[in-house]
Amino acid sequence: MKLFNLSNRGNRCSVPANVRALQLLVWLVVALMLPNIVLAFTEGYNGWSVAAGIILPLGLYLLTPLFTRRVSFVALVLLPVLALCAVQLVLLYLYGNSIIAVDMYTNIMTTNSVESSELLRGMTPVIIGVALLYMPLLYAVLRQIIDSRYSLSGSVRRGFVMAGALLTIVGIQLLYPASRVSNSDVVIAEIFPLNAINNLRIALHNRWAVERYAETSAEYRHEAERAVSTSKREVYIYIIGESSRACSWSLYGYQRITNPRLSAREDICLFKNVITQSNTTHKSVPLMLSGVDIKKYEELFRRKGLASLFNEAGFRSYFISTQSPQGAMVDNLAAECDDIVYVSAPSHDMELLRVVKRVVEANDSDNILFILHCSGSHYCYNQRYTEEFAIFQPDNDSAVDPRNIEALRNAYDNSILYTDHILSSFVEYLDSLDACTAMLYCSDHGEGLFDDERGVFLHASPMVTYYQLHVPCLAWFSQEYCDSHPDKVAMARQHRWSPATTSAMFHTMADIASIRGNSVDFRRSLVNVAFDESASRLYLNDKNEAVKLNHRMGITNLDRREFLSRGVTIDD
């Protein structure tokens, strides 16, 4: 670091001030270009795009001395870009590839403080590593700001500007062949940081749509009505899991016994062929609560959700969550319930059952819909279960690093074991009630656990994997329900292997309660004879486009093998 020693004793520097300014400019350009260089190797772009992605940004950065002799001022203006560079490098560590996505910006805007602190704590090593790359540069910038002598000489400025102009012209010319080969707008799709800035623009637009939801959906009515009612009170529970992947459930063939209680029951209807339509909570859960066709995704902001449907049909609705309000679309749909309970953090999911019991005991006459939002298997995994479920050891609070995979996987499996306990406890409670009851459970998305050479961890990566897509889903029906609706129960059992998506849960839940309405599509209900097994299962990509799950979305032969080994089909 002696090269960048900016000490100034007696107004004298061992290195001339203009040389120090040149050193800082070179350092700044290298720091700005580092993500572009890494992305050139990780994204699989064609050669023209790689060349344009290096030469055009480099040319633009070299042009910056055109506007001022003070490099420190240039660095201050480019601080937001430096911040994007740092975030980009962290995400490349987590996911192995891809630029900062729209969904990642939305996650940053909506993740609650508890989840944020847990994730940041687990990522401390990589954050420190990235900080060590950029903090010394920022320190050098601050030191040069206070001394006007640190300026580029006229000849150096001219040299940089001429080189920058030449490289910019070449980079612009490269855009044409790059676009022809990529068949896309290379500037906003493949050139960092322009693509990351464009994604931020889209994320802010989506945020605006979420904030206007009360206004845009105000006039919507489901026109709901009951097709059939029972002689007894009805209590239905819809449980939305979090970050639970099917391949870590022993019910789906996992070698570890993570579902001992559910496996012991013969009255569980397990749906084995369900995939999520988004690997992010802020999109997947609203789809599960609204059932919109993702080919018409904008409808999400113009119509109300499951709670309003049940309310129109005469039910009382409750939204109970162990997650905190996130300022996302989930909060808007939860607000449609008659009552909302956010269990104080930190709490485990068993608290959901305690709240449900209190509500049922206090209200012994109304038909009730409970929508429960779990913390499930969200990172940090060892925070999601109580001590008696720490069966797989070691399960210590480990940093996000492939070298810690044993502890991370053990903790994750313990969280699945705890979910098994919770779901079984709900079944036992519902079975004890003198009522017509049913329960539907589905996880919002899966989770990556450094499962293969791609090194994907967590969820919400722009390029999806099998582990994030295949989710556990099950239903349970009381004897009273089976006697009243034998046809629906029979269809549920018949559709155990039927291809479905998480957004089908809205229609299935409505059909379980025999509710009809203009938003309910029985062709997407797993308890209906009209269920359409031939419907394509599409995925909602980062730009909110309904797409097939193919190589463009990151699906590889590794994923296809995992799907095939579990009897799951995708329309690629």
Side-chain angles (χ1 to χ4, degrees):
M1 296 300 294
K2 191 173 182 180
L3 179 64
F4 301 101
N5 180 14
L6 301 178
S7 60
N8 184 9
R9 298 180 181 177
N11 294 322
R12 293 184 300 171
C13 290
S14 59
V15 179
N18 61 341
V19 175
R20 296 292 183 89
L22 173 60
Q23 292 170 339
L24 183 61
L25 179 59
V26 173
W27 193 359
L28 176 63
V29 171
V30 171
L32 290 167
M33 287 301 300
L34 186 57
N36 299 71
I37 295 170
V38 178
L39 289 166
F41 292 95
T42 63
E43 300 312 289
Y45 295 148
N46 67 77
W48 295 109
S49 292
V50 169
I54 296 293
I55 294 174
L56 181 57
L58 179 59
L60 293 173
Y61 293 143
L62 293 181
L63 279 174
T64 53
L66 177 65
F67 305 101
T68 178
R69 301 169 63 94
R70 300 289 302 277
V71 179
S72 55
F73 291 168
V74 171
L76 281 180
V77 172
L78 292 176
L79 270 180
V81 179
L82 285 170
L84 287 179
C85 291
V87 172
Q88 180 63 76
L89 292 176
V90 171
L91 294 182
L92 284 171
Y93 175 85
L94 268 182
Y95 299 132
N97 64 355
S98 193
I99 60 165
I100 307 172
V102 175
D103 287 334
M104 185 51 59
Y105 285 118
T106 306
N107 285 338
I108 293 171
M109 296 176 192
T110 59
T111 299
N112 62 65
S113 58
V114 175
E115 290 181 357
S116 298
S117 61
E118 290 174 347
L119 180 58
L120 291 175
R121 187 171 63 249
M123 293 172 55
T124 299
V126 66
I127 292 174
I128 291 175
V130 171
L132 289 176
L133 286 174
Y134 288 98
M135 292 306 293
L137 172 62
L138 296 180
Y139 175 74
V141 169
L142 293 175
R143 291 295 300 270
Q144 289 202 11
I145 286 175
I146 62 177
D147 193 332
S148 61
R149 293 177 306 144
Y150 292 106
S151 302
L152 295 172
S153 66
S155 59
V156 170
R157 284 184 72 194
R158 287 191 296 271
F160 270 88
V161 170
M162 290 178 61
L166 177 62
L167 290 173
T168 300
I169 292 171
V170 172
I172 292 172
Q173 292 176 331
L174 288 170
L175 294 177
Y176 177 73
S179 298
R180 291 289 300 272
V181 176
S182 297
N183 196 28
S184 65
D185 189 338
V186 172
V187 173
I188 62 173
E190 299 179 357
I191 296 184
F192 184 86
L194 300 178
N195 45 16
I197 294 171
N198 181 62
N199 286 348
L200 176 59
R201 177 189 64 81
I202 297 173
L204 292 173
H205 173 77
N206 293 344
R207 180 72 175 174
W208 179 72
V210 170
E211 292 179 349
R212 294 184 63 242
Y213 173 74
E215 174 187 345
T216 55
S217 66
E219 302 301 319
Y220 186 84
R221 295 295 180 273
H222 292 281
E223 305 298 336
E225 62 180 9
R226 298 294 303 279
V228 179
S229 59
T230 65
S231 58
K232 287 191 174 183
R233 179 193 190 192
E234 297 169 70
V235 177
Y236 300 120
I237 294 183
Y238 179 28
I239 303 179
I240 300 175
E242 172 66 63
S243 304
S244 190
R245 60 189 207 167
C247 62
S248 291
W249 284 47
S250 51
L251 281 171
Y252 287 82
Y254 190 41
Q255 292 182 345
R256 280 183 166 177
I257 305 301
T258 53
N259 304 120
R261 294 183 62 183
L262 289 174
S263 297
R265 301 192 67 96
E266 297 181 354
D267 52 359
I268 296 296
C269 181
L270 189 71
F271 301 109
K272 296 190 175 183
N273 197 352
V274 179
I275 62 173
T276 185
Q277 291 195 291
S278 174
N279 66 353
T280 64
T281 298
H282 70 262
K283 288 200 297 196
S284 180
V285 174
L287 289 174
M288 296 171 74
L289 290 174
S290 68
V292 297
D293 184 341
I294 65 170
K295 289 182 287 189
K296 303 175 182 178
Y297 179 69
E298 291 301 317
E299 283 294 313
L300 176 68
F301 306 106
R302 292 191 283 269
R303 78 183 204 189
K304 295 179 180 177
L306 188 68
S308 292
L309 175 74
F310 272 72
N311 290 345
E312 286 185 28
F315 280 75
R316 187 164 186 83
S317 58
Y318 293 81
F319 181 88
I320 309 170
S321 175
T322 52
Q323 300 196 29
S324 301
Q326 300 174 349
M329 191 61 190
V330 179
D331 299 346
N332 288 332
L333 295 169
E336 296 174 6
C337 289
D338 293 307
D339 292 280
I340 308 172
V341 179
Y342 287 102
V343 180
S344 299
S347 295
H348 296 109
D349 286 338
M350 184 54 75
E351 189 63 29
L352 297 170
L353 180 56
R354 298 188 181 95
V355 177
V356 167
K357 286 181 177 180
R358 288 199 298 268
V359 171
V360 173
E361 291 169 3
N363 184 343
D364 60 359
S365 59
D366 290 335
N367 293 334
I368 299 178
L369 167 70
F370 289 102
I371 300 173
L372 309 181
H373 193 193
C374 301
S375 295
S377 299
H378 197 286
Y379 185 84
C380 290
Y381 309 128
N382 65 357
Q383 304 298 313
R384 303 296 167 235
Y385 50 88
T386 54
E387 186 176 351
E388 62 266 34
F389 290 90
I391 303 301
F392 304 110
Q393 291 291 327
D395 68 338
N396 51 293
D397 193 0
S398 300
V400 178
D401 192 308
R403 292 171 295 185
N404 298 328
I405 185 56
E406 181 185 6
L408 290 168
R409 189 178 298 277
N410 286 339
Y412 184 85
D413 290 349
N414 288 335
S415 74
I416 303 298
L417 189 66
Y418 188 60
T419 296
D420 173 80
H421 170 69
I422 291 166
L423 295 179
S424 299
S425 298
F426 267 106
V427 167
E428 291 170 0
Y429 174 67
L430 290 174
D431 203 21
S432 71
L433 296 177
D434 183 21
C436 180
T437 62
M439 182 185 81
L440 179 66
Y441 166 87
C442 187
S443 182
D444 58 352
H445 51 71
E447 187 88 335
L449 293 174
F450 298 117
D451 298 282
D452 51 43
E453 58 263 33
R454 290 172 293 183
V456 175
F457 187 68
L458 300 179
H459 51 274
S461 60
M463 308 304 284
V464 299
T465 68
Y466 159 79
Y467 305 98
Q468 299 171 342
L469 292 169
H470 188 199
V471 294
C473 178
L474 59 86
W476 173 88
F477 309 98
S478 68
Q479 188 58 53
E480 179 68 30
Y481 187 94
C482 293
D483 294 340
S484 301
H485 307 287
D487 54 335
K488 296 182 186 296
V489 177
M491 285 299 101
R493 291 170 179 162
Q494 181 174 316
H495 291 141
R496 290 186 177 192
W497 279 101
S498 297
T501 64
T502 44
S503 65
M505 299 305 112
F506 171 92
H507 308 280
T508 301
M509 198 68 238
D511 202 2
I512 286 174
S514 301
I515 299 176
R516 296 182 298 201
N518 54 30
S519 59
V520 181
D521 186 351
F522 293 136
R523 294 171 301 176
R524 299 168 68 188
S525 167
L526 288 164
V527 297
N528 201 289
V529 68
F531 182 80
D532 184 6
E533 296 196 19
S534 65
S536 295
R537 294 197 287 182
L538 302 177
Y539 183 82
L540 193 66
N541 73 4
D542 190 55
K543 304 296 191 298
N544 294 336
E545 302 164 331
V547 298
K548 290 186 176 182
L549 287 164
N550 53 28
H551 68 281
R552 291 182 179 274
M553 288 306 302
I555 297 299
T556 68
N557 288 333
L558 293 171
D559 300 303
R560 292 186 180 91
R561 279 200 301 270
E562 294 296 335
F563 279 119
L564 184 61
S565 68
R566 292 168 176 84
V568 178
T569 57
I570 57 173
D571 303 317
D572 61 352

